[in-house]
């Protein structure tokens, strides 16, 4: 059974930092690209970042570029999202997701759609106060 469990969320002041973790079990972690999504209050879920199976190629949404860093530890089946310079608009439930492919690219673009990802965690709440 595939399990993906996010942790590390919480309440932080604007300008602060948080590090999210995603523990994955039940699949060959190093054989898949992985992504982070978020769902702000009252809005649709949106892609935040993606990392390829080797941890070399990454994608970031424009809204987080330069502030967030995605990384992975294939030896321990862990995915991370380091978030810095947090803003109130980063407030959301953050989800990790597995992409059934080695890479974050899809055709001529990046895999930014929910339908391109297979397994999801239950989410962790991040709240940024102003």
């Amino acid at each position: 059974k595939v399990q993906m469990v996010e942790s590390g969320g919480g309440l932080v002041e604007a300008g602060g930092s948080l590090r999210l973790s995603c523990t994955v079990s039940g699949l060959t972690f190093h054989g898949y690209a992985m992504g982070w999504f978020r769902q702000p209050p009252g809005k649709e879920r949106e892609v935040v970042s993606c990392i390829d199976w080797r941890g070399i190629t990454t994608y970031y949404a424009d809204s987080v570029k330069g502030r967030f860093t995605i990384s992975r530890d294939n030896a321990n089946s862990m995915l991370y999202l380091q978030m810095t310079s947090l803003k109130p608009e980063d407030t959301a439930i953050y989800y990790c997701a597995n992409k059934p492919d080695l890479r974050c690219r899809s055709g001529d673009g990046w895999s930014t759609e929910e339908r391109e990802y297979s397994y999801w965690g239950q989410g962790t709440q991040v709240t940024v106060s102003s």
Side-chain angles (χ1 to χ4, degrees):
K1 178 184 176 183
V2 177
Q3 287 191 307
M4 302 174 67
V5 181
E6 302 91 341
S7 61
L11 174 64
V12 63
E13 292 185 349
S17 299
L18 281 175
R19 188 195 196 203
L20 304 185
S21 299
C22 176
T23 303
V24 180
S25 61
L27 56 78
T28 308
F29 182 75
H30 62 265
Y32 301 99
M34 295 291 299
W36 285 100
F37 282 72
R38 69 184 181 185
Q39 186 166 18
K43 297 184 179 180
E44 299 289 317
R45 191 153 54 181
E46 61 187 18
V47 68
V48 173
S49 183
C50 181
I51 188 167
D52 75 350
W53 64 288
R54 301 166 298 176
I56 295 176
T57 301
T58 57
Y59 163 84
Y60 294 96
D62 288 344
S63 58
V64 307
K65 204 171 292 183
R67 300 187 297 121
F68 290 11
T69 302
I70 191 171
S71 61
R72 64 189 297 161
D73 177 353
N74 283 348
N76 292 296
S77 299
M78 295 290 297
L79 178 71
Y80 302 101
L81 185 69
Q82 179 68 50
M83 306 186 294
T84 63
S85 302
L86 282 161
K87 305 175 181 180
E89 52 263 44
D90 294 318
T91 294
I93 300 173
Y94 283 73
Y95 301 87
C96 59
N98 149 262
K99 183 175 185 284
D101 196 287
L102 293 172
R103 297 169 179 82
C104 292
R105 295 198 69 88
S106 177
D108 293 332
W110 296 97
S111 296
T112 60
E113 302 295 323
E114 288 186 57
R115 58 178 172 77
E116 299 181 87
Y117 294 78
S118 296
Y119 295 105
W120 296 78
Q122 83 291 343
T124 185
Q125 176 71 47
V126 171
T127 303
V128 184
S129 64
S130 57

